[in-house]
Amino acid sequence: QIQVTESGGGLVQAGGSLRLSCAASGRTFSSNTVAWFRQGPGKEREFVSRINWSGTSTYYTDSVKGRFTISRDNAKNMVYLQMNSLKPEDTAIYYCAAFGTSDVWSEYKYWGQGTQVTVSS
């Protein structure tokens, strides 16, 4: 079993930055792909970004390209999402997911509880 915990959310003004963290406990996820998804108010859960086990391959949804950066520190069993130039439409609950391979949320086996990101205009 693995427990996934997100942190780092909060309230920020448009144009600001936040760094989300995803921690794993109980089992390492250093050999697996980790992804971030988000679900805005009244919206479906959507893919944001994912990173392969070594950190050499990263993927982003088009709306965050150039603004968000995913990274990982396998020694610490952590994955990060640096979010810059935030927009009100980035407001959502952000979820970290592990043990999947794609952009499809249902393929991931482990999920955190989510962290709220609110961007004010």
Side-chain angles (χ1 to χ4, degrees):
Q1 275 288 357
I2 183 172
Q3 290 76 48
V4 177
T5 305
E6 306 93 339
S7 62
L11 173 63
V12 64
Q13 288 188 331
S17 298
L18 284 172
R19 188 176 84 150
L20 305 184
S21 298
C22 174
S25 61
R27 181 180 172 185
T28 180
F29 59 21
S30 61
S31 59
N32 289 274
T33 292
V34 176
W36 287 94
F37 291 81
R38 67 185 180 185
Q39 188 164 13
K43 297 181 181 179
E44 298 289 320
R45 189 173 304 191
E46 65 171 349
F47 168 78
V48 177
S49 181
R50 60 182 164 94
I51 187 167
N52 72 334
W53 71 273
S54 63
T56 55
S57 293
T58 58
Y59 302 89
Y60 302 90
T61 192
D62 286 346
S63 62
V64 308
K65 284 180 182 177
R67 301 189 297 122
F68 290 12
T69 303
I70 191 170
S71 62
R72 68 190 303 162
D73 184 337
N74 285 340
K76 296 181 178 179
N77 223 17
M78 297 286 293
V79 172
Y80 307 98
L81 186 68
Q82 177 67 43
M83 306 187 297
N84 298 329
S85 302
L86 282 161
K87 304 176 180 180
E89 51 263 43
D90 295 318
T91 294
I93 300 173
Y94 284 70
Y95 298 93
C96 180
F99 286 66
T101 59
S102 72
D103 303 350
V104 179
W105 69 266
S106 59
E107 290 192 4
Y108 285 78
K109 186 174 182 180
Y110 299 105
W111 290 83
Q113 293 299 306
T115 185
Q116 176 71 48
V117 171
T118 303
V119 184
S120 63
S121 57

